[in-house]
Structures are given as structure tokens and as C-alpha cells.
Amino acid sequence: MTDVTTGTTTPSSPGSSEDAARLRGALGAVRAEVGKAVVGQDGAVTGLIIALLTRGHVLLEGVPGVAKTLLVRSLSQALSLDTKRVQFTPDLMPGDVTGSLVYDAQTGGFVFREGPVFTNILLADEINRTPPKTQSALLEAMEERQVSVDGVSRRLPDPFIVAATQNPIEYEGTYALPEAQLDRFLLKLTLDVPERDTEVEVLRRHAAGFNPRDLTAAGVTPVLGAAELAAARASAAAVGANADVLAYIVDLARATRRSPSVKLGVSPRGTTALLGAAKAWAWLSGYDSITPDHVQAMLVPVWRHRIQLRPEAELEGVGADAILQSIVQQVQVPI
């Protein structure tokens, strides 16, 4: 079984309908379209597709210049979805994101003006640069898919996901995301600086006239619509999970709670998130039920932001990824 971070899928066992195969092929075409604009981030593309299949949200972490914003814009164009970008800054107010009541001089009353959250993919750029009060304004939208203002709840479009970016090395002028909000993200994906050959390809495209602000000129075209995406979601949700694999997920979560390096382990929300992501990965790989391999492939990106390390572990330079990988080695795999 290939790890999800490679961005590749390996069709294996039978049981997929023709419709499911067609939808997987269409999502493969989406990946190809994104590749016209973004080079070397196949794992992040796969992660975003898994998030769309499971109605999950994604936290993209990487240094400036690794195509986090371009990746989201390219994906939304290939899927023909509406995308709005919000640059999170220290002076951003909750109403700037969710919308607010404004006075209408013609009617003499207040009317609701929608904020940028009313979209299919909300690109929350540098989300950790805004204070916790504004960050928390997204909690209801991320969990309930609605916004409540002045006692009135307004539904968000379907599909709706938040793709947030943050810089892992710059701490001045930033605010740590609240635990409650971190738990709302299905995946935390890390985008690394590309390898030499990949970076050469990036330069070759720019030398040939590539403009990252003009995706249409780059040849990125819509290949999948909202209706087909909904069908793919339903097909992925139908992937099975036997009792042994479910118990395996719980055992992994309980192991994080017992780890001497972990102050706060994975919650039950984390186990359901891992189940959903594993089902989507299994479906993309051509399986009709999840296996321990699918669980292991998705465990780190789904759980790396859901555990809190003890200070002594951080002082020793032990990261969440290493701890989770160690736990995978320790927990018995069902046969």
C-alpha cells in the first residue's frame, strides 16, 4: 500500500462499480489539471481531494513560496468551485469573515451582507496572524456549515471547506490556533521545499511565461462539477469497515493517550476523522473496504495536530509525527 503523502493511488481489489471507477478517473483528471500549475505537491493535492470527499477542512503548513495559495486556487478551478480568499491580519474582525448587519438607507432597516465565508472553498491565508476571537468566528461555519448573526442562522453553500495556511517558522505577530479549532481540521498537511529537479521544473515553467495569477492561460480547466463531487462523496462514504479495523483505530487512539510523551491524546472526534479519511483513501485506491494499511497511511496527517506533547518531549526535539509513527509500530495490527 502506498503512503498518502506520495499522492499516488494503487487500485487493487475488485468491488468498485463502473460509476465509482468513472468518478475516480475524473478526480485523477483533477489532479492532472492542478499539475499544470503546481509542481511537486501531489500529496497535498490528494489530501485536499480527500477533504472534499469527507467534507473536511485542511490546514496547510509550509514556508512562504511553496505554492500553498496557488494549490487551492488551481484545485477550485479544476473543480469549477467558487473560492474566496481572506488574508488574516491582526485587525481582522469576525464580521469581516462571516458577514454582518448593515444599515440600508432605502429600507430604513438592517440587512445582512454576506462575508467571504459564503463560498465553496474558503482560503484562509495565514490564519494564525489574526487574534483568537476572529479565528473562533470560523468554528460554527466549520462544524455546522452555517453562520449565525443576530439570532438568525444562514446555511453555507455545499460543498464548503476551509483551506487555511500558516507559516511554521515565523512566530512574531502570530497567535496559536485554539485547540477547539485545530480539532475541526480533518488534515494538517505539510508542504516542503521542493527537490532540486522539481524546483528546476518550476523555473522552466516561469521562464516559458507561466503566470501563477492567470490559471486559465496556464491551461487549468474545469473537469469535475459539484454534482459529480457529491456522487463521489456518496460512493466513498459507502466504503466498508469491519469490526477489527474499527477496534484498531480505537487502540491507536488509546495508545496516544497513554504515551509518556503526550500530554493530550486523540479524542473520539479524532477517531471518526481517521475513519472518514481512511475510507476516502481506500475508495480512491479502488478498495470497497478499509484495511489497516489505509488507516496507517492517513494517521499522521489526521492526528499530527490533535495531540499535545509534554514539554520534556518538545525540549528533546521529538515531534508529533515521530511519536505517531512510533505508536503505529507498537499497536498490534489486526490480521
Side-chain angles (χ1 to χ4, degrees):
M1 180 66 194
T2 305
D3 189 274
V4 69
T5 55
T6 65
T8 59
T9 57
T10 308
S12 307
S13 56
S16 302
S17 68
E18 291 183 3
D19 285 344
R22 177 182 59 81
L23 291 168
R24 276 194 294 271
L27 287 170
V30 168
R31 185 181 287 108
E33 289 299 314
V34 174
K36 295 177 180 178
V38 180
V39 185
Q41 298 294 355
D42 293 340
V45 176
T46 301
L48 283 166
I49 290 174
I50 287 174
L52 283 164
L53 287 172
T54 57
R55 294 181 171 84
H57 308 289
V58 179
L59 182 60
L60 301 168
E61 186 174 271
V63 298
V66 292
K68 299 186 295 293
T69 301
L70 179 62
L71 173 63
V72 176
R73 289 178 51 239
S74 303
L75 181 67
S76 64
Q77 179 145 327
L79 290 168
S80 192
L81 295 177
D82 182 45
T83 300
K84 292 178 181 175
R85 176 179 176 272
V86 178
Q87 182 66 51
F88 278 69
T89 57
D91 60 349
L92 192 73
M93 299 298 292
D96 297 331
V97 179
T98 61
S100 58
L101 295 174
V102 296
Y103 182 74
D104 188 340
Q106 293 183 343
T107 62
F110 288 89
V111 296
F112 179 72
R113 180 176 294 168
E114 292 183 350
V117 75
F118 286 84
T119 187
N120 296 126
I121 302 179
L122 177 67
L123 176 56
D125 225 349
E126 296 186 286
I127 191 172
N128 56 336
R129 285 197 173 278
T130 199
K133 180 179 180 180
T134 303
Q135 293 175 7
S136 298
L138 283 174
L139 283 176
E140 182 184 16
M142 295 173 72
E143 183 65 22
E144 306 295 336
R145 263 66 180 185
Q146 67 179 27
V147 167
S148 297
V149 176
D150 197 33
V152 178
S153 297
R154 297 170 173 85
R155 299 297 302 175
L156 296 175
D158 184 37
F160 169 75
I161 71 167
V162 174
T165 72
Q166 67 176 16
N167 184 341
I169 62 172
E170 190 171 351
Y171 298 103
E172 185 175 351
T174 63
Y175 304 83
L177 296 181
E179 290 302 321
Q181 185 168 30
L182 276 175
D183 204 36
R184 297 313 196 273
F185 285 101
L186 174 73
L187 303 171
K188 180 181 178 182
L189 304 175
T190 57
L191 281 72
D192 298 322
V193 175
E195 299 291 338
R196 180 182 182 277
D197 290 346
T198 302
E199 195 165 0
V200 169
E201 173 61 19
V202 171
L203 283 183
R204 187 195 66 77
R205 293 188 181 193
H206 279 266
F210 171 70
N211 180 2
R213 298 170 186 80
D214 189 354
L215 295 179
T216 301
V220 181
T221 57
V223 293
L224 190 74
E228 289 178 302
L229 179 59
R233 282 176 168 176
S235 184
V239 169
N242 64 45
D244 287 342
V245 175
L246 296 179
Y248 179 54
I249 293 174
V250 172
D251 290 342
L252 289 165
R254 293 174 67 85
T256 67
R257 301 165 197 161
R258 296 191 302 266
S259 172
S261 300
V262 177
K263 179 171 64 174
L264 179 65
V266 173
S267 70
R269 189 201 303 271
T271 60
T272 58
L274 180 55
L275 172 62
K279 290 174 73 170
W281 178 237
W283 181 83
L284 283 171
S285 303
Y287 286 73
D288 56 10
S289 62
I290 64 174
T291 69
D293 284 343
H294 300 124
V295 173
Q296 293 173 5
M298 295 306 307
L299 184 141
V300 171
V302 174
W303 281 2
R304 59 164 48 117
H305 57 295
R306 298 176 189 272
I307 63 174
Q308 286 187 23
L309 305 186
R310 294 188 183 278
E312 50 268 32
E314 294 179 338
L315 288 174
E316 292 173 0
V318 179
D321 289 16
I323 290 172
L324 290 171
Q325 289 164 356
S326 174
I327 286 172
V328 169
Q329 298 299 318
Q330 297 169 14
V331 176
Q332 183 175 356
V333 180
I335 299 176

